[in-house]
Amino acid sequence: MKQKKIVTIGLVLVLSTMLWASSALGATVFWEPLTYHNSSTWQKADGYSNGGMFNCTWRANNATFTNDGKLRLALTSSSYNKFDGAEYRTTFKTGYGKCEVSMKPAKNPGIVSSFFIYTGPSDGTPWDEIDIGFLGKDTTKVQFNYFTNGVGGHEKVIDLGFDASQGYHTYAFDWQPGSITWYVDGVQKHKATTNIPTHPGKIMMNLWNGIGVDSWLGAYNGANPLYAYYDWVKYTSN
């Protein structure tokens, strides 16, 4: 494991150059075992809320690492009817290529565990996003979606044939100029070819509870703490 960490840090030191010079050198692979907080590559959201349907405040202390080397995102309650979630994101943006994660979502009505790439007005860009999301009300399914210049409505729900909250599986999307293809454990599950996003975004993960979206997520019952676990993340450029 120590050797893996050294390899990852080596990638980080040249990542900004490799990502954008990769067309001449071949595909760049960024892979990180999520065994500790590497501040060169990852940031923890802290002290603010996304508002709207997000019924929680992001807390850096809710993104921690387990003894067996997994990133653990927590949903907790600091006081009555006050909730804290967790969000983890890269310090850099990725463009076209394949994003993969090994993860285990949380299971409970009214919550979402996610893996996605995002950029938006806070980055000085249009809102472009590609999503893999698990609705805690039914973790035998996964939801794929994307936004282009703030326009979404591309949801696709897939039956997994297993309960994702019970073990680690690999989820991925391959983003190309004319398509997005989603995979589960290496098997293609969905492909979109219309109005595809164009702006590079940060790789992100979060766990949150919703409000005012019971028809989508189910009603959150206040259960806590709840946890989503992430084993590793990989990005392979074109």
Side-chain angles (χ1 to χ4, degrees), residues 3-191:
Q3 183 178 5
K4 290 180 180 178
K5 288 182 181 179
I6 292 169
V7 171
T8 302
I9 292 169
L11 279 173
V12 170
L13 293 175
V14 295
L15 185 61
S16 60
T17 301
M18 291 177 68
L19 277 176
W20 311 123
S22 60
S23 59
L25 301 174
T28 296
V29 177
F30 168 76
W31 175 80
E32 183 140 30
L34 296 169
T35 56
Y36 71 107
H37 178 57
N38 185 344
S39 60
S40 296
T41 47
W42 299 97
Q43 299 170 324
K44 300 179 181 183
D46 191 39
Y48 63 91
S49 173
N50 283 17
M53 69 184 74
F54 292 79
N55 190 26
C56 62
T57 300
W58 305 127
R59 301 295 183 190
N61 288 341
N62 277 15
T64 59
F65 294 85
T66 64
N67 291 335
D68 62 343
K70 308 290 191 294
L71 169 65
R72 186 180 78 172
L73 301 185
L75 178 60
T76 60
S77 180
S78 55
S79 60
Y80 176 73
N81 211 31
K82 299 290 184 182
F83 302 101
D84 294 329
E87 184 170 85
Y88 208 61
R89 60 179 179 265
T90 55
T91 57
F92 57 88
K93 292 182 178 181
T94 59
Y96 296 125
K98 190 173 187 179
C99 289
E100 303 172 74
V101 67
S102 175
M103 66 175 288
K104 184 169 65 172
K107 185 181 185 73
N108 196 79
I111 68 167
V112 177
S113 309
S114 70
F115 176 75
F116 59 107
I117 61 171
Y118 167 84
T119 189
S122 61
D123 299 317
T125 66
W127 173 11
D128 279 5
E129 183 174 336
I130 304 173
D131 295 315
I132 296 173
F134 296 89
L135 312 188
K137 67 180 183 180
D138 186 358
T139 49
T140 66
K141 298 178 174 64
V142 62
Q143 179 178 287
F144 305 138
N145 195 14
Y146 64 99
F147 293 81
T148 304
N149 198 18
V151 178
H154 306 289
E155 293 89 351
K156 179 69 174 181
V157 177
I158 300 294
D159 288 312
L160 291 169
F162 57 83
D163 187 342
S165 71
Q166 297 304 302
Y168 290 94
H169 292 267
T170 302
Y171 308 93
F173 53 83
D174 187 4
W175 176 30
Q176 299 299 324
S179 66
I180 308 167
T181 307
W182 286 265
Y183 298 86
V184 176
D185 290 331
V187 178
Q188 180 177 328
K189 295 296 183 179
H190 181 55
K191 186 171 184 176

